[in-house]
């Protein structure tokens, strides 16, 4: 769609419209133009905003949104109750999030500022984190991002365990699976799709990384007589703890989709489909300069693909292979971590493991991982009388991890869409040491999105 597709004047249409408008059509367009003009006038938009922006005391506790539609300026105060949590490093803690967004009238540019303020009631520390994002080219999806802060961060920044899940396990079962360190950082990132199907992300970051001790041993201890593990201890044969390090890192990430189809409109380009998978090529360098204490190079190639098999269901495939080319000076934080799970809640079905410990098999050498999940969409159960009325759907998968230290394999079978949103799986895992593990997991059906 051309940029000026909806901006032609009357003269243009008089010359190019093969059939003149009828009187009724002309009247209708004049009416729509008048309504559009009124609905976009400052007085009308201000009147709408005055009603929508009305602040009540409950908004302080449940979140608040402010908008100025005429100037395209929007503010959000996130629900503070959703920011309440617990971990052994901070004890009970609360995170308050504010965001401010500005959209420009050309619908091409926008910027957004997000700030997180966090306080732990056991470590008595105030943490701050902020980011600035500027978008200025929707055709090439160009973004500029700046970030800074002092903030507790998971060792695996992909966050394999959610805060709420860790809080539940800590308070009920005295299990602190989430491991944190303090990250003081500055970062800058640039993202651009240079041509169709090729998107490049460049990132540079400087971080002061400080180990953190447990500050709270509080728990209801409803299940068993467990004890919290130290926050800075890992059952990994290559590194059982982290030390205070400063790290200057540079990263490149190229996402390549061959044969990507798209739609171009005046406000942006929107990818639609491709019969080929997307390949991700990543390189990260730890730079030993400017007081930085790390020196490593790591490269990774990964791909994700969804295959629709019609009545037989849908397959989801993810594979990754990578290696540390140089590891002269490296911290456990910089290792390749895998999305493991040590809870009864299933997660990361497409690219994670359900029975793998979070950090025991993180590596600073080479790895290969592969994941296959198939959603049968009732291909089997819909053929069974009575059972088919429940609208249950079958799911199964296989997951493989190979490193210099381990050969690990998982298989899972399950049922999804229980009560329309639950999923239950039986998982079995096998390791080259001969250990076999198994268990049931409960998750959320991937057919819906949950925030």
């Amino acid at each position: 769609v051309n940029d000026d597709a909806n901006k032609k004047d009357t003269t243009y249409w008089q010359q190019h419209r093969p059939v003149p408008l009828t009187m009724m059509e002309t009247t209708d367009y004049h009416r729509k133009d008048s309504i559009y003009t009124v609905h976009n006038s400052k007085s009308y938009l201000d009147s709408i905003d005055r009603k929508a922006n009305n602040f009540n005391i409950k908004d302080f506790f449940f979140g608040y949104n402010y908008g100025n539609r005429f100037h395209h300026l929007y503010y959000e105060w996130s629900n503070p109750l959703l920011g309440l949590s617990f971990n052994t490093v901070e004890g009970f803690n609360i995170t308050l999030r504010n965001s401010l967004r500005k959209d420009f009238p050309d619908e091409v540019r926008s910027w957004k500022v997000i700030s997180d303020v966090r306080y732990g009631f056991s470590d008595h520390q105030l943490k701050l984190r902020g980011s600035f994002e500027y978008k200025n080219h929707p055709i090439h999806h160009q973004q500029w991002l700046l970030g800074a802060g002092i903030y507790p961060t998971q060792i695996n920044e992909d966050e394999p365990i959610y805060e709420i899940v860790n809080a539940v396990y800590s308070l009920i079962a005295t299990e602190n699976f989430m491991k944190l360190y303090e990250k003081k950082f500055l970062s800058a990132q640039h993202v651009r799709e240079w041509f169709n199907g090729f998107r490049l992300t460049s990132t540079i970051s400087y971080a002061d990384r400080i180990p953190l001790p447990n500050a709270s041993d509080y728990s209801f201890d409803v299940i068993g007589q467990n004890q919290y593990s130290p926050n800075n201890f890992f059952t990994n044969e290559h590194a059982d703890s982290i030390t205070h390090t400063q790290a200057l890192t540079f990263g490149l990430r190229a996402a390549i989709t061959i044969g990507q189809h798209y739609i171009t409109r005046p406000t942006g380009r929107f990818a639609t489909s491709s019969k080929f998978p997307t390949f991700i090529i990543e390189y990260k360098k730890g730079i030993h300069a400017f007081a930085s204490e790390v020196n490593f190079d790591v490269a990774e190639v990964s791909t994700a693909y969804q295959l629709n098999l019609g009545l037989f269901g849908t397959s989801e495939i993810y594979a990754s292979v990578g290696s540390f080319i140089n590891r002269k000076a490296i911290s456990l934080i910089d290792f390749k971590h895998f999305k493991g799970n040590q809870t009864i809640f299933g997660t990361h079905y497409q690219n994670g493991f359900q029975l793998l410990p979070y950090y025991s098999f993180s590596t600073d050498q080479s790895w290969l991982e592969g994941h296959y999940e198939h959603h049968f969409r009732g291909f089997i159960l819909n053929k069974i009388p009575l059972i088919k009325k429940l609208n249950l759907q079958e799911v199964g998968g296989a997951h493989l991890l190979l490193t210099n230290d381990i050969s690990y394999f998982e298989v899972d079978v399950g049922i999804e869409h229980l009560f329309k949103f639950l999923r239950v799986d039986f998982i079995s895992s096998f390791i080259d040491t001969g250990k076999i593990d198994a268990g049931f997991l409960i998750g959320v059906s991937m057919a819906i999105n949950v925030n």
Side-chain angles (χ1 to χ4, degrees):
V1 179
N2 294 333
D3 290 349
D4 59 350
N6 60 350
K7 299 177 182 178
K8 307 296 186 182
D9 59 16
T10 303
T11 304
Y12 172 89
W13 289 112
Q14 288 176 345
Q15 295 175 354
H16 293 85
R17 181 180 287 120
V19 179
L21 295 177
T22 64
M23 182 62 69
M24 183 179 294
E25 288 172 329
T26 301
T27 303
D28 182 63
Y29 277 117
H30 278 302
R31 182 182 293 112
K32 288 177 179 177
D33 286 344
S34 299
I35 293 173
Y36 177 85
T37 301
V38 171
H39 283 185
N40 286 273
S41 66
K42 187 176 187 304
S43 58
Y44 179 83
L45 294 176
D46 286 348
S47 67
I48 297 296
D49 288 339
R50 275 194 297 272
K51 183 176 180 179
N53 295 335
N54 186 34
F55 181 83
N56 297 308
I57 190 64
K58 66 178 179 63
D59 295 326
F60 182 81
F61 298 99
F62 297 103
Y64 174 71
N65 289 278
Y66 171 87
N68 186 319
R69 302 177 197 220
F70 185 77
H71 293 290
H72 307 281
L73 193 64
Y74 306 93
Y75 168 79
E76 180 181 2
W77 161 266
S78 297
N79 188 337
L81 299 179
L82 298 179
L84 290 171
S85 188
F86 175 86
N87 61 65
T88 56
V89 171
E90 303 169 284
F92 287 98
N93 58 82
I94 185 169
T95 302
L96 305 177
R97 168 164 287 192
N98 297 266
S99 65
L100 181 66
R101 187 182 90 246
K102 166 71 174 178
D103 296 331
F104 289 86
D106 57 14
E107 300 184 48
V108 169
R109 296 170 297 147
S110 68
W111 56 257
K112 185 175 184 179
V113 176
I114 298 176
S115 68
D116 290 328
V117 180
R118 184 179 179 115
Y119 183 77
F121 292 94
S122 291
D123 67 346
H124 307 294
Q125 296 293 317
L126 182 69
K127 302 94 176 175
L128 302 170
R129 178 175 64 181
S131 65
F132 174 79
E133 175 186 296
Y134 177 62
K135 298 180 180 180
N136 67 334
H137 205 308
I139 299 298
H140 291 285
H141 303 282
Q142 181 162 268
Q143 301 177 49
W144 304 84
L145 300 101
L146 298 174
I150 304 174
Y151 214 75
T153 305
Q154 288 196 45
I155 302 297
N156 181 355
E157 295 193 21
D158 286 337
E159 299 186 349
I161 183 168
Y162 301 121
E163 279 203 55
I164 183 63
V165 174
N166 181 75
V168 169
Y169 261 80
S170 297
L171 293 173
I172 294 179
T174 323
E175 294 276 15
N176 55 324
F177 295 122
M178 188 171 70
K179 304 301 182 183
L180 301 167
Y181 70 98
E182 182 178 87
K183 183 178 181 181
K184 301 177 181 178
F185 69 97
L186 290 170
S187 65
Q189 186 178 88
H190 175 254
V191 183
R192 181 182 173 94
E193 186 175 41
W194 290 92
F195 51 87
N196 179 46
F198 181 83
R199 180 176 298 193
L200 184 66
T201 302
S202 307
T203 306
I204 189 165
S205 173
Y206 194 92
D208 187 19
R209 309 180 301 188
I210 305 171
L212 294 172
N214 286 336
S216 174
D217 60 358
Y218 182 80
S219 176
F220 304 143
D221 199 15
V222 176
I223 302 174
Q225 298 293 324
N226 299 316
Q227 288 187 340
Y228 285 127
S229 61
N231 178 65
N232 189 25
F233 177 75
F234 309 89
T235 56
N236 188 296
E237 63 179 85
H238 298 285
D240 59 6
S241 63
I242 65 171
T243 58
H244 185 176
T245 57
Q246 298 184 55
L248 174 63
T249 59
F250 173 74
L252 291 173
R253 183 181 190 271
I256 303 169
T257 304
I258 300 172
Q260 176 177 274
H261 292 191
Y262 61 89
I263 297 171
T264 301
R265 296 184 178 276
T267 55
R269 177 183 290 170
F270 308 92
T272 55
S273 64
S274 173
K275 61 181 180 179
F276 301 102
T278 296
F279 291 92
I280 308 293
I281 302 174
E282 296 180 81
Y283 169 76
K284 188 174 182 180
K285 169 68 177 176
I287 304 171
H288 190 64
F290 306 106
S292 172
E293 301 168 81
V294 297
N295 184 355
F296 65 87
D297 296 84
V298 58
E300 178 181 3
V301 178
S302 62
T303 184
Y305 188 58
Q306 187 175 86
L307 181 63
N308 192 332
L309 300 177
L311 295 177
F312 192 62
T314 302
S315 291
E316 295 175 334
I317 303 167
Y318 175 85
S320 166
V321 60
S323 180
F324 281 83
I325 307 165
N326 158 41
R327 49 191 176 94
K328 292 180 181 179
I330 186 171
S331 166
L332 178 66
I333 297 171
D334 306 306
F335 280 32
K336 171 62 180 180
H337 303 290
F338 307 100
K339 292 181 179 177
N341 186 23
Q342 293 176 254
T343 74
I344 64 168
F345 303 109
T347 183
H348 307 300
Y349 291 107
Q350 285 73 37
N351 60 354
F353 301 91
Q354 303 307 318
L355 298 179
L356 185 75
Y358 293 109
Y359 298 107
S360 297
F361 303 110
S362 299
T363 184
D364 62 348
Q365 299 178 58
S366 301
W367 72 89
L368 168 67
E369 69 170 311
H371 304 271
Y372 177 79
E373 283 275 310
H374 186 78
H375 301 265
F376 290 87
R377 295 182 180 174
F379 180 78
I380 300 172
L381 294 180
N382 284 349
K383 295 178 173 60
I384 303 175
L386 299 181
I387 296 293
K388 67 179 182 179
K389 295 183 179 295
L390 299 176
N391 293 320
L392 301 178
Q393 298 186 11
E394 322 84 337
V395 63
H399 310 267
L400 173 68
L401 174 63
L402 300 176
T403 72
N404 295 66
D405 304 313
I406 184 179
S407 298
Y408 179 85
F409 185 67
E410 278 185 4
V411 292
D412 63 87
V413 292
I415 300 294
E416 53 186 352
H417 295 182
L418 284 166
F419 307 109
K420 296 185 177 181
F421 69 94
L422 287 180
R423 169 174 170 168
V424 176
D425 290 89
F426 178 76
I427 318 288
S428 294
S429 67
F430 310 88
I431 194 170
D432 53 6
T433 59
K435 181 182 178 182
I436 300 175
D437 202 359
F440 286 94
L441 275 77
I442 302 171
V444 175
S445 173
M446 301 309 292
I448 63 172
N449 294 319
V450 176
N451 293 324

